[in-house]
Amino acid sequence: MANKPKLAVSACLVGQKVRYNGDAAEFRTLSRKWSEHLELIPLCPEVGIGMGVPRPTIRLVREDGKIKLVNPKNGEDFTERMLEYSEIQSDLLASSGVCGFVFKKDSPSCGVERVKVYRGDNPQAVRDGRGMFTTVFTTLNPHIPVIEEGRMSDSRQAEHFLARVHFFHEWLMTGKEGWDAQKIMQFHNDNKLFLLSRAPSSKRMLGRLIAELFDKGANPEFVALEYMTKAQKALNTLTSKGRIAHAMERVVGQFSEKLTKDQRKELIDLITDFRVGHVPRFAPLVLIKHYLRRFEMDKKIISRFTNSIPLEMGLMAKV
Ligand code: SF4
């Protein structure tokens, strides 16, 4: 891929000392390894609204059905400042071509899920909130994938999220000169195997969506946005080894008549070993890519599946 996908990230995760106590919370695999294949865009919402470092801790509080962001020591309310900043920055990030966002977990500004929310003066919080910046970002940009760094310490979650980021990047590149019906259909066709391997029912659902929206005379830019929003929602559920293995078998079906009986058996056995967890995805994938090169098969529908993230990221050896 010519240029790297842009990935927004909570600034403390890339080692910036912007936490309330002047510390960082570096997620080294992201900041030092995967970053070779991504353009990281760090952002700290609390520093962004002028809170400085170090600063008092703030918390989410629910009052009269509304969520506020306050300093519990003196009651200072940061809600309006944070909402305004979040709207502006979310729009800027989206228009600059950000393909995903990795947020710091548990933060009242950046957390994605299970963030503490206090009720009035009750010292017991309920973990049912989402950071205020994150709420605005995801509401304004439901088509952009997000995740907490805590989930990315699980290789399967990391691989799946990064595949969603690269899928988004491909979409952005395809539509950079503007969308038309032909480009949308081509993008969908090129990604059918990728979708089958990650969220099988979305393949047909998205095909229908395109047809229905164009039947109603929808603008291609709107159709493309709806397409990515629905696709990312479907991709929000982690895929399984079985789905990936099934997609691999489909690829093998494209060149199996060119293999000897032994070669075919070796490849199918390797895919089966992957499916039951005896070998990582890397093992059958490398052999499949070897045959694709040898038989000079470079169809996009196959490469979008086999190159869903760069092999050099090292994740295929762990999933
Ligand atoms: S969690 Fe978010 S607000 Fe807190 S230090 Fe990190 S980037 Fe800043």
Side-chain angles (χ1 to χ4, degrees), residues 10-201:
S10 295
C12 54
L13 295 177
V14 293
Q16 292 188 9
K17 296 187 171 181
V18 289
R19 297 197 73 202
Y20 66 95
N21 57 2
D23 281 347
E26 189 174 359
F27 179 25
R28 290 182 176 213
T29 317
L30 174 63
S31 64
R32 302 187 185 196
K33 187 172 180 195
W34 298 334
S35 57
E36 285 174 32
H37 307 278
L38 299 159
E39 184 185 339
L40 298 184
I41 315 279
L43 174 137
C44 174
E46 292 176 18
V47 169
I49 62 169
M51 291 187 72
V53 185
R55 58 181 173 272
T57 54
I58 49 177
R59 58 169 59 166
L60 294 173
V61 178
R62 185 185 294 275
E63 260 177 35
D64 303 328
K66 287 192 175 148
I67 301 276
K68 292 180 174 178
L69 193 61
V70 298
N71 174 350
K73 295 249 168 67
N74 61 10
E76 189 177 358
D77 190 334
F78 294 93
T79 310
E80 285 307 314
R81 257 184 280 172
M82 184 58 87
L83 288 176
E84 192 182 338
Y85 173 85
S86 305
E87 276 186 32
I88 293 169
Q89 288 302 320
S90 297
D91 284 348
L92 282 174
L93 288 170
S95 58
S96 75
V98 151
C99 301
F101 207 133
V102 180
F103 286 107
K104 169 83 180 72
K105 74 183 175 103
D106 294 335
S107 153
S109 303
C110 290
V112 176
E113 58 192 332
R114 292 178 38 75
V115 177
K116 285 182 184 171
V117 181
Y118 292 82
R119 267 74 173 168
D121 294 333
N122 189 337
Q124 288 292 95
V126 181
R127 283 192 166 274
D128 64 352
R130 171 172 269 210
M132 192 162 277
F133 180 90
T134 310
T135 301
V136 174
F137 183 84
T138 53
T139 304
L140 293 178
N141 300 299
H143 57 305
I144 300 180
V146 305
I147 195 169
E148 289 189 339
E149 103 284 2
R151 287 192 178 272
M152 288 190 90
S153 49
D154 174 327
S155 299
R156 286 178 59 216
Q157 301 243 21
E159 188 278 332
H160 187 68
F161 174 73
L162 291 169
R164 292 173 65 192
V165 168
H166 281 82
F167 172 64
F168 188 97
H169 184 239
E170 184 75 20
W171 175 83
L172 214 55
M173 293 298 101
T174 307
K176 70 177 187 296
E177 310 289 345
W179 286 100
D180 56 37
Q182 211 255 328
K183 276 189 199 172
I184 296 173
M185 248 103 79
Q186 189 62 50
F187 180 82
H188 182 56
N189 284 335
D190 288 345
N191 283 281
K192 276 183 175 171
L193 194 58
F194 171 81
L195 291 167
L196 184 80
S197 73
R198 308 265 171 183
S201 59

Side-chain angles (χ1 to χ4, degrees), residues 196-214:
L196 184 80
S197 73
R198 308 265 171 183
S201 59
S202 70
K203 187 175 76 116
R204 187 167 294 180
M205 178 271 287
L206 291 167
R208 269 202 310 265
L209 177 82
I210 296 171
E212 281 168 15
L213 289 176
F214 278 128

